[in-house]
Amino acid sequence: MASRLNPYLTFNGDARQAMEFYKEVFGGTLALNSYGEFGQADAPNADKIMHGMLETTSGFTLMGADNPPGMQSEQGSPFSVSLSGDDEAELRGYWEKLSEGGSVSVPLEKQMWGDVFGMCTDRFGVPWMVNISTES
């Protein structure tokens, strides 16, 4: 397997819902493993996600999990997940789904550098940047 770099998102109990949402947005294959499946069947968090991985036909890999009991994550930490390319229809489709139910800080529109760009935070508190390259 070749090395790869991909986001690993942490959630406070709603990783299953978030990862299923991202599958709706991007398509692909989603694998979810709960804490219960890994030897904690009687624990209060048995149904929470210990590890989730979405692999899409576009080549995206997005991982995520719920924090173990007693640990909290701060949503909106100093990171953003960036989507970029020149397939306007595909990227606008992602934008519409990601921003629905979330908040838009920069509307998806043409910017001074010539590309179409926008920033939003989805309903799970994950910040996204979308950049659609335009022809020169």
Side-chain angles (χ1 to χ4, degrees):
M1 171 193 278
S3 296
R4 63 180 166 189
L5 177 68
N6 56 270
Y8 200 113
L9 307 175
T10 303
F11 300 92
N12 288 320
D14 56 1
R16 181 180 306 277
Q17 297 90 333
M19 295 301 290
E20 288 171 350
F21 168 69
Y22 298 134
K23 183 180 188 296
E24 290 175 21
V25 172
F26 300 112
T29 303
L30 177 62
L32 296 173
N33 301 104
S34 69
Y35 284 98
E37 292 174 295
F38 286 100
Q40 297 180 18
D42 297 328
N45 65 331
D47 64 331
K48 299 301 179 191
I49 301 303
M50 183 175 176
H51 177 70
M53 183 164 81
L54 175 64
E55 294 184 286
T56 75
T57 56
S58 296
F60 304 156
T61 300
L62 185 62
M63 295 182 183
D66 287 309
N67 268 331
M71 293 182 67
Q72 292 291 314
S73 71
E74 289 188 36
Q75 300 299 324
S77 299
F79 75 91
S80 293
V81 181
S82 177
L83 293 169
S84 57
D86 60 6
D87 188 329
E88 184 170 359
E90 178 182 53
L91 290 164
R92 281 189 182 277
Y94 296 151
W95 171 265
E96 291 301 321
K97 292 175 185 175
L98 290 167
S99 61
E100 184 178 337
S103 64
V104 173
S105 55
V106 176
L108 186 65
E109 58 191 24
K110 190 166 185 160
Q111 302 296 326
M112 65 181 134
W113 61 90
D115 290 350
V116 173
F117 175 83
M119 294 172 61
C120 68
T121 299
D122 70 27
R123 63 185 180 208
F124 296 99
V126 175
W128 294 85
M129 298 187 300
V130 176
N131 191 88
I132 304 169
S133 298
T134 57
E135 293 182 32
S136 302

